[in-house]
Amino acid sequence: MREQVIPSLVESWYQILGAYQQSHPEITCQCLEVVGAYVSWIDLNLIANDRFVNLLLSQMSVEDLREEACDCLFEIVNKGMDPTDKTKLVESSEEDVDFLAKFSRLVNGMGQSLVLSWTKLAKGGDVKAAAEALRALETKVPLLLQLLVHDDDDISANIVGFCYDYLNILKQ
């Protein structure tokens, strides 16, 4: 099934995401949820490619789609990619400053959301959930550092909020 049907399924997702993003954003959001749910068990090359990722990044600028597009990209980067693939995705796009600028904003948003979650959980006394949020946060630090030292100021500037929030956690 994975070899025969999944590529067709991924192509269908791509077509749905492109065709309905303006006319039916609710369908597009549902499709983004499905992509995020399936990304962990399909061949990542079907989704983690320029064509698919650029479509997802363009949807981040559409107000009705940006949250689901961000979640979907988060799933691609977080669940579905091993560290080597993650690095390759970032490095393969280093020529595309626009991509990395959007990607760094995505990582910044994910990091700041995790910091906020950790803060609320820690203040609420939920030690176990706070520890899980902190572990999830710490897995983003290598990516944070890789983007922070990028030569392009736009890319490194986009990640400063996450960096600042993370440093505040370390101080605590």
Short mmCIF file of all heavy atoms in Angstrom, two decimals, residues 73-108:
data_model
loop_
_atom_site.label_atom_id
_atom_site.label_comp_id
_atom_site.label_asym_id
_atom_site.label_seq_id
_atom_site.Cartn_x
_atom_site.Cartn_y
_atom_site.Cartn_z
N LEU A 73 3.52 21.91 9.35
CA LEU A 73 4.97 22.02 9.22
C LEU A 73 5.66 21.57 10.50
O LEU A 73 6.72 20.92 10.45
CB LEU A 73 5.38 23.46 8.89
CG LEU A 73 5.16 23.85 7.43
CD1 LEU A 73 5.25 25.35 7.26
CD2 LEU A 73 6.16 23.15 6.53
N PHE A 74 5.06 21.88 11.62
CA PHE A 74 5.60 21.43 12.90
C PHE A 74 5.66 19.90 12.94
O PHE A 74 6.65 19.32 13.34
CB PHE A 74 4.74 21.96 14.05
CG PHE A 74 5.16 21.45 15.39
CD1 PHE A 74 6.26 22.00 16.03
CD2 PHE A 74 4.47 20.44 16.02
CE1 PHE A 74 6.67 21.54 17.27
CE2 PHE A 74 4.86 19.97 17.26
CZ PHE A 74 5.96 20.52 17.89
N GLU A 75 4.60 19.24 12.49
CA GLU A 75 4.57 17.78 12.48
C GLU A 75 5.63 17.22 11.53
O GLU A 75 6.28 16.23 11.84
CB GLU A 75 3.18 17.26 12.07
CG GLU A 75 2.09 17.56 13.07
CD GLU A 75 2.33 16.93 14.43
OE1 GLU A 75 2.95 15.86 14.51
OE2 GLU A 75 1.91 17.54 15.43
N ILE A 76 5.79 17.87 10.39
CA ILE A 76 6.80 17.42 9.43
C ILE A 76 8.19 17.51 10.05
O ILE A 76 8.97 16.57 9.99
CB ILE A 76 6.73 18.24 8.12
CG1 ILE A 76 5.44 17.90 7.36
CG2 ILE A 76 7.95 17.98 7.25
CD1 ILE A 76 5.16 18.82 6.20
N VAL A 77 8.48 18.63 10.66
CA VAL A 77 9.81 18.84 11.23
C VAL A 77 10.00 18.03 12.51
O VAL A 77 11.05 17.43 12.72
CB VAL A 77 10.05 20.34 11.51
CG1 VAL A 77 11.32 20.56 12.30
CG2 VAL A 77 10.12 21.10 10.20
N ASN A 78 8.98 18.00 13.36
CA ASN A 78 9.14 17.41 14.68
C ASN A 78 9.00 15.89 14.70
O ASN A 78 9.87 15.18 15.15
CB ASN A 78 8.13 18.03 15.64
CG ASN A 78 8.44 17.71 17.07
OD1 ASN A 78 9.59 17.73 17.47
ND2 ASN A 78 7.43 17.39 17.84
N LYS A 79 7.89 15.39 14.21
CA LYS A 79 7.63 13.95 14.30
C LYS A 79 8.29 13.18 13.17
O LYS A 79 8.87 12.14 13.40
CB LYS A 79 6.12 13.68 14.23
CG LYS A 79 5.42 13.83 15.52
CD LYS A 79 4.01 13.34 15.33
CE LYS A 79 3.21 13.47 16.59
NZ LYS A 79 1.82 13.13 16.40
N GLY A 80 8.13 13.68 11.99
CA GLY A 80 8.48 12.87 10.84
C GLY A 80 9.92 12.89 10.43
O GLY A 80 10.32 12.07 9.61
N MET A 81 10.69 13.79 10.96
CA MET A 81 12.04 13.92 10.44
C MET A 81 13.07 13.54 11.50
O MET A 81 13.03 14.02 12.61
CB MET A 81 12.31 15.35 10.00
CG MET A 81 11.41 15.81 8.88
SD MET A 81 11.80 17.48 8.34
CE MET A 81 13.07 17.10 7.16
N ASP A 82 13.99 12.70 11.09
CA ASP A 82 15.11 12.44 11.99
C ASP A 82 16.05 13.64 11.91
O ASP A 82 15.91 14.47 11.02
CB ASP A 82 15.79 11.11 11.67
CG ASP A 82 16.53 11.11 10.35
OD1 ASP A 82 16.82 12.18 9.79
OD2 ASP A 82 16.84 10.02 9.88
N PRO A 83 16.99 13.77 12.83
CA PRO A 83 17.85 14.95 12.84
C PRO A 83 18.59 15.19 11.53
O PRO A 83 18.77 16.33 11.11
CB PRO A 83 18.83 14.66 13.98
CG PRO A 83 18.10 13.73 14.87
CD PRO A 83 17.23 12.89 13.96
N THR A 84 19.01 14.14 10.87
CA THR A 84 19.72 14.30 9.60
C THR A 84 18.81 14.90 8.54
O THR A 84 19.19 15.83 7.83
CB THR A 84 20.26 12.94 9.13
OG1 THR A 84 21.10 12.40 10.14
CG2 THR A 84 21.04 13.09 7.84
N ASP A 85 17.57 14.38 8.45
CA ASP A 85 16.63 14.92 7.47
C ASP A 85 16.25 16.35 7.79
O ASP A 85 16.07 17.17 6.89
CB ASP A 85 15.37 14.05 7.40
CG ASP A 85 15.63 12.71 6.75
OD1 ASP A 85 16.62 12.60 6.00
OD2 ASP A 85 14.84 11.78 6.98
N LYS A 86 16.10 16.66 9.08
CA LYS A 86 15.79 18.02 9.51
C LYS A 86 16.87 18.97 9.03
O LYS A 86 16.59 20.03 8.46
CB LYS A 86 15.72 18.07 11.04
CG LYS A 86 14.46 18.60 11.59
CD LYS A 86 14.56 18.69 13.10
CE LYS A 86 13.84 17.53 13.73
NZ LYS A 86 13.61 17.70 15.15
N THR A 87 18.12 18.57 9.26
CA THR A 87 19.25 19.40 8.86
C THR A 87 19.28 19.56 7.34
O THR A 87 19.50 20.66 6.83
CB THR A 87 20.56 18.78 9.36
OG1 THR A 87 20.47 18.64 10.77
CG2 THR A 87 21.75 19.63 9.00
N LYS A 88 19.03 18.46 6.62
CA LYS A 88 19.03 18.54 5.16
C LYS A 88 17.95 19.47 4.65
O LYS A 88 18.17 20.22 3.70
CB LYS A 88 18.83 17.14 4.55
CG LYS A 88 20.05 16.27 4.64
CD LYS A 88 19.79 14.91 4.05
CE LYS A 88 20.97 13.98 4.21
NZ LYS A 88 20.70 12.63 3.73
N LEU A 89 16.76 19.45 5.27
CA LEU A 89 15.68 20.33 4.85
C LEU A 89 16.09 21.79 5.02
O LEU A 89 15.90 22.60 4.12
CB LEU A 89 14.39 20.05 5.63
CG LEU A 89 13.21 20.98 5.34
CD1 LEU A 89 12.79 20.87 3.87
CD2 LEU A 89 12.05 20.67 6.25
N VAL A 90 16.67 22.10 6.17
CA VAL A 90 17.09 23.47 6.42
C VAL A 90 18.23 23.85 5.48
O VAL A 90 18.20 24.89 4.84
CB VAL A 90 17.50 23.66 7.89
CG1 VAL A 90 18.11 25.04 8.11
CG2 VAL A 90 16.30 23.46 8.80
N GLU A 91 19.23 22.97 5.35
CA GLU A 91 20.38 23.28 4.51
C GLU A 91 20.03 23.36 3.04
O GLU A 91 20.57 24.18 2.31
CB GLU A 91 21.49 22.25 4.72
CG GLU A 91 22.19 22.40 6.04
CD GLU A 91 23.26 21.36 6.25
OE1 GLU A 91 23.36 20.41 5.45
OE2 GLU A 91 23.99 21.50 7.24
N SER A 92 19.09 22.53 2.59
CA SER A 92 18.73 22.55 1.18
C SER A 92 18.03 23.84 0.80
O SER A 92 17.98 24.22 -0.36
CB SER A 92 17.83 21.36 0.84
OG SER A 92 16.55 21.53 1.42
N SER A 93 17.54 24.52 1.79
CA SER A 93 16.81 25.76 1.54
C SER A 93 17.63 26.99 1.87
O SER A 93 17.11 28.09 1.85
CB SER A 93 15.52 25.76 2.35
OG SER A 93 14.76 24.64 2.04
N GLU A 94 18.90 26.82 2.18
CA GLU A 94 19.70 27.97 2.57
C GLU A 94 19.84 28.98 1.46
O GLU A 94 20.05 30.16 1.72
CB GLU A 94 21.07 27.52 3.08
CG GLU A 94 21.00 26.99 4.48
CD GLU A 94 22.34 26.76 5.09
OE1 GLU A 94 23.37 27.08 4.45
OE2 GLU A 94 22.37 26.25 6.21
N GLU A 95 19.73 28.54 0.24
CA GLU A 95 19.79 29.47 -0.88
C GLU A 95 18.51 30.31 -0.94
O GLU A 95 18.51 31.41 -1.44
CB GLU A 95 19.95 28.71 -2.20
CG GLU A 95 21.16 27.81 -2.26
CD GLU A 95 22.42 28.57 -2.59
OE1 GLU A 95 22.35 29.50 -3.40
OE2 GLU A 95 23.46 28.22 -2.03
N ASP A 96 17.44 29.77 -0.43
CA ASP A 96 16.14 30.43 -0.47
C ASP A 96 15.91 31.16 0.84
O ASP A 96 15.37 30.63 1.80
CB ASP A 96 15.04 29.37 -0.70
CG ASP A 96 13.69 30.00 -0.93
OD1 ASP A 96 13.55 31.22 -0.75
OD2 ASP A 96 12.77 29.25 -1.29
N VAL A 97 16.34 32.41 0.89
CA VAL A 97 16.27 33.21 2.10
C VAL A 97 14.81 33.41 2.51
O VAL A 97 14.50 33.41 3.70
CB VAL A 97 16.99 34.56 1.90
CG1 VAL A 97 16.80 35.48 3.08
CG2 VAL A 97 18.48 34.31 1.66
N ASP A 98 13.90 33.57 1.55
CA ASP A 98 12.49 33.73 1.89
C ASP A 98 11.97 32.51 2.64
O ASP A 98 11.24 32.64 3.62
CB ASP A 98 11.65 33.96 0.64
CG ASP A 98 11.92 35.30 -0.01
OD1 ASP A 98 12.39 36.21 0.70
OD2 ASP A 98 11.67 35.44 -1.22
N PHE A 99 12.34 31.32 2.17
CA PHE A 99 11.92 30.10 2.86
C PHE A 99 12.45 30.08 4.28
O PHE A 99 11.72 29.84 5.23
CB PHE A 99 12.39 28.86 2.11
CG PHE A 99 12.23 27.61 2.92
CD1 PHE A 99 10.99 26.99 3.01
CD2 PHE A 99 13.29 27.06 3.63
CE1 PHE A 99 10.83 25.84 3.78
CE2 PHE A 99 13.13 25.92 4.39
CZ PHE A 99 11.90 25.32 4.46
N LEU A 100 13.75 30.31 4.44
CA LEU A 100 14.33 30.25 5.78
C LEU A 100 13.79 31.34 6.69
O LEU A 100 13.65 31.12 7.89
CB LEU A 100 15.86 30.33 5.70
CG LEU A 100 16.55 29.01 5.43
CD1 LEU A 100 18.05 29.20 5.37
CD2 LEU A 100 16.20 27.97 6.46
N ALA A 101 13.44 32.48 6.12
CA ALA A 101 12.84 33.53 6.94
C ALA A 101 11.49 33.06 7.48
O ALA A 101 11.19 33.21 8.67
CB ALA A 101 12.67 34.81 6.13
N LYS A 102 10.69 32.45 6.63
CA LYS A 102 9.40 31.92 7.08
C LYS A 102 9.59 30.74 8.03
O LYS A 102 8.89 30.61 9.03
CB LYS A 102 8.55 31.50 5.88
CG LYS A 102 8.04 32.69 5.10
CD LYS A 102 7.19 32.27 3.92
CE LYS A 102 6.74 33.48 3.13
NZ LYS A 102 5.92 33.11 2.00
N PHE A 103 10.54 29.89 7.71
CA PHE A 103 10.82 28.73 8.56
C PHE A 103 11.29 29.18 9.94
O PHE A 103 10.88 28.62 10.95
CB PHE A 103 11.86 27.84 7.88
CG PHE A 103 12.14 26.57 8.62
CD1 PHE A 103 11.20 25.56 8.66
CD2 PHE A 103 13.34 26.40 9.28
CE1 PHE A 103 11.45 24.37 9.34
CE2 PHE A 103 13.61 25.21 9.97
CZ PHE A 103 12.66 24.20 10.00
N SER A 104 12.14 30.20 9.98
CA SER A 104 12.62 30.69 11.28
C SER A 104 11.48 31.30 12.08
O SER A 104 11.45 31.16 13.31
CB SER A 104 13.78 31.67 11.11
OG SER A 104 13.38 32.83 10.41
N ARG A 105 10.54 31.95 11.42
CA ARG A 105 9.35 32.46 12.12
C ARG A 105 8.53 31.30 12.67
O ARG A 105 7.99 31.38 13.78
CB ARG A 105 8.50 33.33 11.21
CG ARG A 105 9.05 34.72 11.02
CD ARG A 105 8.06 35.66 10.38
NE ARG A 105 7.63 35.24 9.06
CZ ARG A 105 8.18 35.61 7.93
NH1 ARG A 105 9.21 36.43 7.94
NH2 ARG A 105 7.71 35.17 6.77
N LEU A 106 8.43 30.24 11.90
CA LEU A 106 7.71 29.05 12.35
C LEU A 106 8.37 28.46 13.60
O LEU A 106 7.71 28.19 14.60
CB LEU A 106 7.66 27.99 11.24
CG LEU A 106 7.16 26.60 11.62
CD1 LEU A 106 5.69 26.66 12.00
CD2 LEU A 106 7.40 25.63 10.48
N VAL A 107 9.67 28.27 13.55
CA VAL A 107 10.39 27.71 14.69
C VAL A 107 10.27 28.65 15.90
O VAL A 107 10.07 28.20 17.03
CB VAL A 107 11.87 27.44 14.34
CG1 VAL A 107 12.67 27.03 15.56
CG2 VAL A 107 11.97 26.38 13.25
N ASN A 108 10.35 29.94 15.66
CA ASN A 108 10.19 30.91 16.73
C ASN A 108 8.81 30.78 17.37
O ASN A 108 8.69 30.74 18.59
CB ASN A 108 10.39 32.34 16.20
CG ASN A 108 10.39 33.36 17.30
OD1 ASN A 108 11.30 33.38 18.12
ND2 ASN A 108 9.37 34.20 17.34
#
